[in-house]
Structure formats: C-alpha cells, structure tokens
Amino acid sequence: MDVRAQIVMVFNLDKCIGCHTCSISCKNIWTDRKGAEYMWWNNVETKPGVGYPRQWEDQERFKGGWVVDGKKLKLKAMGKGPTLANMFFQPNMPKIEDYYEPFDFDYGNLAGAKESKDQPVAEAFSQISGKKIEEIQGGPNWDDDLSGSQVYAAKDLNLKDKKVIESYDSMFMQYLPRICNHCLNPACVASCPSRALYKRGEDGIVLVDQEVCKGWRFCTSACPYKKVYFNWSTGKAEKCIFCYPRVEGGQCNACAHSCVGRIRYVGVLLYDADAVEAAALKGDAELVEAHRDVILDPRDPEVCRQAKENGISDQWLDAAAASPVYALVKEFRVALPLHPEFRTLPMAYYIPSLSPVLSTWGDTHKLLEHGMIPALETLRVPIGYLASLLSGGNHAVIEEALKKLIAIRVRMRAENLGLPADPELLADAGLDEAAAKRLYRLFTIAGYNERNVIPPQQREENDPEKRRQEGGFGILKKTRRGGK
C-alpha cells in the first residue's frame, strides 16, 4: 500500500444555478491575457448539450483517455511510433472552431464614431486576428439554457433515448460545471514527450512546467475532458492549476469561494497509489466501485502509519479525517466521477441532480409521490442519462445515490412540517438518522469551514521538487518511463 494525499473537489449538481460566477472569477485571475482569451479553465455547460469544446465527450473523434489493451492500459490517441510521426501535427486535437473564436466589441466606436444618420454600434471583432466578425458562431456555453430544445439536446452523446426531448413535458436540463479533474492516472501527463506535465506529490495537483513545455500539444489530444489548452501567443500548454497558490495557504479555490449556490466542497482524500492501475483496468460498469476502492479510510491506523512514512503530515491526516469530500465520495457514496470510462480516475466528483420539488398540488401532476417529492422511477432526468455521464453506464450506482438523496428530502420535509415519517424510508436507502442529518447539513446549512477543509502546505516536510525528480508515483512512474 502506497498512501498518497489528493486535494479534491465535489460538485452538487442539484444546487448549481448556472450563474457562471465561478467561471468569471477563474477567468479574471488566471486567463485574462493574450493567447488565453478562449480558455475557460472553469466552465459551466448546459446538459444535455454539446459542451465546450463541442462534442468533447466523443472520444472516437478526439481519442482521449485510456483503453484496455489485454492486461495493460494504453493511450487511446497513439503509441510511440505515431507519437514521433505526429510530433508537429495533432490530427485529433480540437480546433478553435470547436471552442469558439474569442471576440470582443469595439466599444470605442460608440463614443468616437463620426456624425451620421445611423446609431453607432459596437461591432464584434476577433481577439486573435483583430478582424471584424460578421456573425458570432459560438461561445463557451453557446447552448446556455437551450438544452431542452431538440436542436441542442439531440447532439448530446449521453442521451441515448431521444424520445424524452420530443415532447415538452418530458424535456429536462441541468448544469455541469467542469474544471481539470487532476486525475490519479492522467493521460495528459503520460502523453507528454517533454515531460512538462507532472502530478505534484504533496497534493496531487497536475501542473505544466512552462520552462519545459515545447508546445507539442499531445496533452491536449490525450486529455479526454479537453481541459488542457494551447496558448497561441506563448506556444505553451496551460490548464487549471486548482488555484494552488490559494490552496497552499489553506484557502479554497477561487471558483469554490465565489460559488453563489455553495455547490462545491473541497477537501483531502487519501488513496493507494499501488492500486491505481488495477482500478483503471476494470470494465466500464465496475469502474466506479474500483475507483472507490482506491480511496483509503483516513481513520485507519495502518493507513495513517504508512501515510506518515510517505511524508504526509498530521495536519493533512486530520484534514482527511474531517473532509466533507471523503464523506460524500466514500462514506455515503453519493458523489460520482465524471465519465469514469475514460480510465483517468478523475479527482472531481459530482452528486447527481434530482427533479425539483413541485410547487403546486393537483391531479394533473404525474410526479406526485411522498407528498410533493418525485419518486426514483419518475425523476425528470433519466437515470440512463446520469449513468452515461457519471457511472460508465451502471444504473445501480446512480439509483443507490438517488435513493439516498430522495430519502433525505422526504425525511427532512416530514420533520420540518411535523408530519409522520416512514421508519423504513432511510433504512431502505442505506442510511440511518444520524447519517441523514449529517448529509442534510452538508447539502444545506454547512458553513465555509465545513464545506472546505484544506490544510496549508508545510514545505519543510514536503519537498515538491524532490518528489517531481523522483518521477511522480504510482502509475506515473511507469507511464513516464514507458513513454505511453
């Protein structure tokens, strides 16, 4: 057992209101400069929809992530031979049109236009070429709030049953905020010929060494989530850095700090680096459970002992024990990885969304059960859709999480209204009274320090440069040396 620490984020999709405050706060701090105009390290997509960049989930086109080759993993994009042949050309990388042509408006024309019979306008122009744009064709969330329409929803690869968007009463939509997942088995790190990308030993954050990067862009092709970008001005790769200057001081990420809906939880997970590769080799339906098995109990004395041998401080072990992320991911099993079938073992997790509580009562509603709260089989968001998004197609994993979320809703509504509670309700969902109260608090009234448990770095105990020179850890040792 090789115990390592990872800083992790969990998103509660049931609470995201799609305000994009997180995206703007990230943009203002990290990508508000030349060459990064089209980059959104944090973006919020409307689902079902095409996403950003367009169709990023289609790995038959972009060939990101890993595939199982016999008893080992290999990058889906290319091996050693094709890597050398495509050193100066990436056939599977998204084009600027797949993101969008970054644009601004000529506001100076409003004040400086010559006298005319017509009202002056602020015309759009490209932030790359400076040329006038006759018609804007896209943006970072071009289908914002339009996923209920057949035009956008039908293009979502996760939506297998197109019948749900054929009638107004069965259409649905939700928001999906995304950052770099800082995966345990990152394809971007394994694909880089110059070894510019690395995973930090002290907190698991994946970074790009700008001094080493040669701009080959293999990382952009290999990342299945398309969260590594190419700066056209500097010729270097860039990506979400998990706000590590803030995290090192014990503060949460800018996106989490600014989140209006308080949907984000940041904390520490301990995991077994020796088990990463074996977990990634599992079948699609087994990946979520294998992913959970990699995560270790921070209260286990043997785990703590080996963690200390690896240089993990008592402060980090205490943070792992108090982590809301561990409770949501491992203890209560309600937070799930995004597209686990990509086999990168992402370290960003999502609590699946539920249908809204009904605001009116009447015979016309089809969703009435347990009072005003929809039952599992009548949820507006299809379980098959959520399974394609969050569990590699495993419906049982989604149903387990949704049952718990519904049971908490029903139980707390009954308590708040003084109604009799079904004694079997929580037990059927795998919860007891204490667990339901704890989850309810995390979902609703938990304060900043409960939602974000981030220990500050102790540089005298953790030397990141030394860790990096040792070649990373776990599967990264093999992928770096093997050049896969």
Side-chain angles (χ1 to χ4, degrees), residues 15 29 48 84 97 102 106 162 210 246 259 267 270 289 475:
K15 298 174 68 178
I29 296 175
L84 293 173
E97 294 80 15
D106 183 13
K162 308 299 182 184
Q210 296 289 298
R246 295 174 59 91
C259 179
L270 301 180
E289 198 58 45
I475 193 172

Side-chain angles (χ1 to χ4, degrees), residues 300-331:
D300 186 323
E302 180 60 20
V303 170
C304 293
R305 184 187 68 79
Q306 296 202 30
K308 290 180 180 180
E309 288 183 1
N310 275 356
I312 300 175
S313 67
D314 288 334
Q315 195 172 19
W316 273 67
L317 291 176
D318 291 342
S323 173
V325 169
Y326 179 80
L328 295 170
V329 173
K330 180 82 171 184
E331 188 175 349

Side-chain angles (χ1 to χ4, degrees), residues 1-2 17 100 117 126 181 192 206 220 253 266 273 368 373 376 415 417 466 479:
M1 183 166 58
D2 186 5
I17 61 175
Y100 70 103
K117 295 181 180 179
S126 170
N181 295 288
C192 180
V206 177
T220 303
N253 319 56
V266 183
L368 287 178
I373 300 173
L376 178 64
E415 180 176 310
L417 296 178
K466 179 181 178 182
T479 54

Side-chain angles (χ1 to χ4, degrees), residues 12 29 64 107 120 128 153 172 201 211 227 229 249 256 259 290 308 397 421:
N12 190 346
I29 296 175
Y107 296 108
I128 296 178
F172 71 97
E211 298 298 322
K227 279 299 178 180
Y229 305 88
C259 179
K308 290 180 180 180
V397 170

